[in-house]
Amino acid sequence: MNLPEKISASIRMNVAKRKLDSRKINCNNGNPLEQWGVAKIKKEIAKDKELKKIFGDRDLDRDDIKSYKLLKLKELVDYVSENSPYYKELYAEHGLDSSQINSYEDLAKIPLTEQDKLATHPYHFLCVSRKDIAREFTSSGTTNMLKRVAYAQEELLEIVDSVISGLKMAGMDSDDDTLQIMYPTITATWDPGLVLSRACDLGGFRSVINDSIDAQSQIDTIKEKGTTVIIGTSSFIYNFTVEANKLENVRNLGIKKIICSSEPLTDTMRMVIESVWGCKAVRQWGMTELGLANAIECEGQDGLHVNNPDFLIEVIDPETGKILPPGKEGELVVTTLRRRCMPLIRYRTRDISAIFDEKCNCGAHLDQRIMNVKRMDDYNGND
């Protein structure tokens, strides 16, 4: 990279940093992800005259957050009805418009979005011109259906912003922290290592990517780089832990938190990982279609905190489509409230979880939380 290119890259980096609300979070003032979510919502309220009339400048409570999400959903239904070929046709067929959605019970009036529709006709979901797309990703997820999703530049920055706040919640709160990124088994058109590395750069953290499946190589990198937090797929971290434990006492390596992502982490796997490393292992859940980083556990390990301003979470009976109450296990259904490039409304994830409505033991009480996510094959119904 020549000097003009370096200067241009530096300017872009500094501009991006100024846009990140996650950089302003003080980890001593409560749950970082909840702080970030509230800051995002309050910023939007301040810019929107109609929202300002409703919420004013007051501190937001849980009911305010729910009201905000319902208003964003109504706005989104109008937006996709105008701009998305898929939703325009679907909602016209069902005679649906936003005036019919005035409570959470009315969500049942909105047709579910099936994964095969996105896989078959991805660009029918597009709400912007193709020239406004910054990146496209393809993923098969857990259903082996290739699904292409598109993101605008600002949406990618929002993803990075949420990742930084999630990393802070997972314990990265110092210039001395280094995240070691382990995704040797991931093959997709997006690279989680690069996303996480970029987030660390913008968030002021150090990171190192090691894609080796060799346990000794990963241990050597931990020692060389002073790694304090590890992230990778649940199965890889579990297998790496078993092998590393045969090589040396890894408790002496200074790892203070392990983030297990992309796959379900069973209680047995977590017990082994935590006993070997002597630190907590937290779960993270996300889908390419939804923006990769969607929910993560806090220190209390009392359910996964959802990226609050961006998603409205429901749980349904996968057989009947009926919306289930909090605490009842079923299929996760997600609406991307603030996406404008390729939003998804009531998208069926084919993952199983339940909503927690109680205050978390970390003190967070405004965001939605979900229980440990499982695969559809592990679903036993609600009998």
Side-chain angles (χ1 to χ4, degrees):
M1 184 183 294
N2 58 37
L3 182 58
E5 289 174 335
K6 288 181 179 179
I7 293 173
S8 178
S10 177
I11 291 172
R12 290 197 301 272
M13 176 75 79
N14 288 328
V15 169
K17 285 180 178 179
R18 287 197 296 271
K19 293 183 178 181
L20 296 175
D21 291 291
S22 56
R23 289 179 62 88
K24 306 167 189 173
I25 291 173
N26 185 336
C27 294
N28 296 320
N29 293 337
N31 184 298
L33 190 60
E34 182 176 78
Q35 287 185 62
W36 176 83
V38 171
K40 285 289 182 186
I41 293 172
K42 292 185 78 170
K43 180 183 287 187
E44 185 164 359
I45 290 172
K47 292 180 179 178
D48 188 298
K49 290 183 180 179
E50 294 304 314
L51 291 177
K52 184 112 174 138
K53 286 180 184 177
I54 297 170
F55 299 105
D57 296 319
R58 68 176 182 266
D59 289 337
L60 302 176
D61 59 24
R62 192 175 181 86
D63 288 338
D64 288 331
I65 300 292
K66 292 183 69 174
S67 297
Y68 164 84
K69 289 190 174 189
L70 190 62
L71 290 169
K72 293 300 294 181
L73 174 63
K74 289 169 67 72
E75 177 187 300
L76 185 60
V77 167
D78 287 336
Y79 177 76
V80 299
S81 297
E82 180 70 25
N83 297 286
S84 163
Y86 173 78
Y87 285 116
K88 182 185 296 186
E89 181 178 341
L90 179 67
Y91 293 167
E93 179 184 330
H94 284 78
L96 177 75
D97 63 65
S98 64
S99 67
Q100 301 169 35
I101 306 164
N102 299 299
S103 69
Y104 275 78
E105 287 72 25
D106 292 335
L107 291 176
K109 299 176 182 178
I110 305 175
L112 295 163
T113 299
E114 303 288 347
Q115 291 196 10
D116 63 334
K117 300 298 184 183
L118 180 62
T120 306
H121 300 293
Y123 294 119
H124 286 192
F125 288 81
L126 200 62
C127 292
V128 300
S129 168
R130 296 279 283 271
K131 66 180 177 59
D132 294 323
I133 297 174
R135 288 289 304 273
E136 293 184 50
F137 303 122
T138 301
S139 173
S140 61
T142 60
T143 59
N144 294 318
M145 283 189 289
L146 287 177
K147 298 174 287 291
R148 179 176 291 273
V149 288
Y151 293 92
Q153 188 62 46
E154 284 298 312
E155 292 172 337
L156 295 174
L157 191 60
E158 287 282 323
I159 291 172
V160 167
D161 205 11
S162 68
V163 169
I164 293 170
S165 60
L167 289 174
K168 286 188 173 185
M169 191 172 77
M172 294 195 68
D173 56 5
S174 160
D175 293 342
D176 297 327
D177 282 319
T178 297
L179 179 71
Q180 187 154 323
I181 303 163
M182 308 175 178
Y183 285 95
T185 57
I186 288 284
T187 55
T189 57
W190 62 274
D191 185 336
L194 293 178
V195 173
L196 287 161
S197 179
R198 180 68 167 171
C200 287
D201 288 343
L202 290 170
F205 306 127
R206 295 194 302 264
S207 67
V208 57
I209 299 174
N210 187 333
D211 286 337
S212 173
I213 62 172
D214 180 67
Q216 188 61 61
S217 172
Q218 295 287 358
I219 290 173
D220 291 343
T221 300
I222 292 172
K223 293 176 178 178
E224 179 184 346
K225 301 296 184 180
T227 300
T228 55
V229 180
I230 291 172
I231 187 169
T233 62
S234 300
S235 60
F236 177 77
I237 287 181
Y238 173 77
N239 292 329
F240 164 53
T241 297
V242 172
E243 292 303 312
N245 193 42
K246 299 174 183 177
L247 299 174
E248 61 179 272
N249 182 3
V250 295
R251 283 189 174 222
N252 297 327
L253 297 179
I255 301 300
K256 67 180 188 180
K257 191 68 65 65
I258 297 173
I259 307 171
C260 299
S261 73
S262 303
E263 303 161 340
L265 177 71
T266 67
D267 291 338
T268 300
M269 291 167 69
R270 172 142 73 183
M271 181 180 65
V272 171
I273 292 168
E274 292 185 340
S275 65
V276 169
W277 291 95
C279 67
K280 290 192 175 183
V282 297
R283 297 175 169 116
Q284 186 272 335
W285 176 76
M287 298 179 70
T288 303
E289 303 97 292
L290 304 175
L292 314 179
N294 309 133
I296 188 171
E297 279 185 322
C298 66
E299 177 77 12
Q301 298 174 314
D302 188 29
L304 289 80
H305 295 259
V306 174
N307 180 345
N308 205 31
D310 291 332
F311 304 113
L312 191 156
I313 304 288
E314 306 169 65
V315 172
I316 65 168
D317 183 313
E319 298 296 329
T320 66
K322 178 183 177 182
I323 299 174
L324 299 176
K328 204 73 170 175
E329 192 175 72
E331 182 183 355
L332 282 173
V333 170
V334 182
T335 297
T336 59
L337 291 173
R338 299 195 305 138
R339 291 242 308 266
R340 287 297 177 262
C341 184
M342 190 182 279
L344 298 171
I345 299 180
R346 302 200 77 210
Y347 182 72
R348 299 188 68 164
T349 66
R350 312 306 296 170
D351 281 342
I352 297 299
S353 187
I355 292 175
F356 284 155
D357 251 356
E358 301 82 9
K359 180 178 180 180
C360 181
N361 57 31
C362 76
H365 62 286
L366 298 176
D367 58 355
Q368 285 189 305
R369 282 181 297 132
I370 55 176
M371 66 179 286
N372 184 28
V373 178
K374 302 186 296 188
R375 300 302 189 214
M376 183 64 74
D377 291 344
D378 298 322
Y379 179 63
N380 296 317
N382 289 288
D383 296 332

